[in-house]
């Protein structure tokens, strides 16, 4: 049974306000792999990496990250994460902070990375754009060790093939952000702006034939992704799920067609 966080916003504000253009008339190669290093946004202090291995329309998505906001009001901090599509296929530069408040909001980053194509949720939770604000199905805590296999929708496959797919991990610690970070979010007014703003970003590219060696050392995960499901309460708290645990050392080897 899906657990849904009671967060409702207008459909056009689902963590990506840039409308999709016409999708390219192509799809991701049947057995192709894509990868990206995830760089910090908004001085989050985080880092990470992501791989997507395609087999037909099935995608195995692996995302490791560390240094994210750890908790809020004593609970593990939820980090919603998505594959964004439909724009330039880029991570926003500091100039994206259009209002000069010191934080690049999700809205301000939209022209660079687009709107949600796929939600990287945990377990059987909704992976469509409609699940983009389901905090209860997001990894939580300062580290993410995420691996899920699911059918990737056509729009996201097309964006991968076109080179316009971008992975974004959201959620900043308001205490480490400018004062504006505690102001209401432009997406979910019940939450602070920092909570819905991007912390990590990486533009996906075709992984080189022969494998990807990221040299990122991580520690064994404490549990499965399914254990990370929890509940959300609004009104100043982000009380959520069991943290995803720490990482495993990973070396992704791309299948040689």
């Amino acid at each position: 049974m899906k657990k849904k966080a009671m967060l409702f916003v207008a459909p056009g504000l689902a963590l990506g306000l840039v409308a999709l253009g016409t999708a390219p008339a192509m799809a991701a190669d049947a057995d192709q792999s894509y990868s990206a290093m995830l760089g910090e946004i908004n001085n989050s202090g985080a880092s990470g990496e992501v791989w997507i291995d395609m087999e037909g329309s099935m995608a195995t998505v692996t995302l490791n990250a560390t240094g994210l906001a750890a908790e809020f009001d004593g609970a593990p901090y939820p980090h919603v994460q998505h594959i964004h599509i439909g724009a330039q296929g880029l991570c926003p530069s500091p100039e994206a902070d259009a209002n000069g408040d010191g934080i690049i909001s999700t809205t301000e980053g939209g022209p660079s990375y687009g709107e949600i194509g796929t939600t990287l949720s945990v377990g059987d939770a909704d992976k469509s754009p409609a699940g983009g604000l389901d905090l209860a199905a997001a990894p939580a805590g300062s580290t993410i060790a995420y691996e899920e296999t699911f059918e990737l929708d056509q729009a996201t496959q097309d964006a991968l093939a076109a080179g316009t797919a971008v992975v974004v991990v959201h959620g900043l610690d308001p205490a480490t952000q400018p004062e504006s970070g505690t102001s209401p979010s432009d997406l979910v007014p019940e939450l602070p702006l920092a909570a819905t703003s991007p912390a990590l970003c990486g533009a996906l590219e075709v992984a080189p034939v022969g494998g990807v060696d990221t040299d990122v050392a991580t520690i064994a995960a404490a549990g499965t992704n399914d254990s990370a499901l929890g509940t959300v309460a609004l009104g100043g708290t982000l009380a959520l799920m069991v943290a995803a645990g720490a990482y495993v050392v990973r070396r992704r080897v791309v299948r040689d067609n």
Side-chain angles (χ1 to χ4, degrees):
M1 177 175 175
K2 290 183 182 177
K3 299 183 179 180
K4 288 288 185 180
M6 300 304 293
L7 297 179
F8 297 96
V9 296
L13 292 181
L15 283 179
L17 303 182
V18 177
L20 280 171
T22 302
M26 61 181 73
D29 290 343
D31 296 307
Q32 187 61 272
S33 293
Y34 303 84
S35 65
M37 299 301 295
L38 300 175
E40 67 173 6
I41 301 181
N42 291 313
N43 299 311
S44 67
S47 62
E49 56 210 344
V50 61
W51 307 269
I52 300 178
D53 294 332
M54 298 296 303
E55 292 187 10
S57 63
M58 299 300 294
T60 297
V61 180
T62 304
L63 191 154
N64 289 340
T66 188
L68 293 161
E71 63 178 46
F72 188 85
D73 278 2
Y77 199 119
H79 295 283
V80 293
Q81 51 187 18
H82 317 101
I83 304 174
H84 286 256
I85 64 175
Q88 301 177 65
L90 301 173
C91 294
S93 67
E95 289 71 28
D97 180 17
N99 64 4
D101 66 354
I103 294 180
I104 300 171
S105 69
T106 296
T107 304
E108 290 172 328
S112 297
Y113 49 65
E115 65 177 24
I116 298 171
T118 297
T119 299
L120 300 179
S121 57
V122 172
D124 293 331
D126 188 0
K127 290 179 170 58
S128 76
L133 290 172
D134 186 358
L135 300 185
S142 63
T143 64
I144 294 174
Y146 175 91
E147 183 170 335
E148 297 281 350
T149 298
F150 54 90
E151 187 167 9
L152 200 63
D153 72 282
Q154 190 63 55
T156 305
Q157 290 185 59
D158 291 342
L160 284 170
T164 57
V166 180
V167 171
V168 181
V169 179
H170 300 263
L172 303 165
D173 182 355
T176 65
Q177 296 297 312
E179 185 176 349
S180 60
T182 60
S183 63
S185 166
D186 55 343
L187 301 182
V188 186
E190 295 88 349
L191 299 177
L193 175 64
T196 59
S197 296
L200 284 172
C201 181
L204 288 159
E205 298 180 345
V206 175
V209 175
V212 176
D213 189 353
T214 62
D215 292 326
V216 174
T218 51
I219 317 169
T224 66
N225 284 324
D226 289 338
S227 68
L229 295 177
T231 58
V232 172
L234 296 180
T237 69
L238 296 176
L240 296 174
M241 48 205 135
V242 177
Y247 291 31
V248 292
V249 176
R250 261 195 103 77
R251 175 185 177 91
R252 300 292 292 182
V253 178
V254 176
R255 186 175 292 104
D256 192 355
N257 292 328

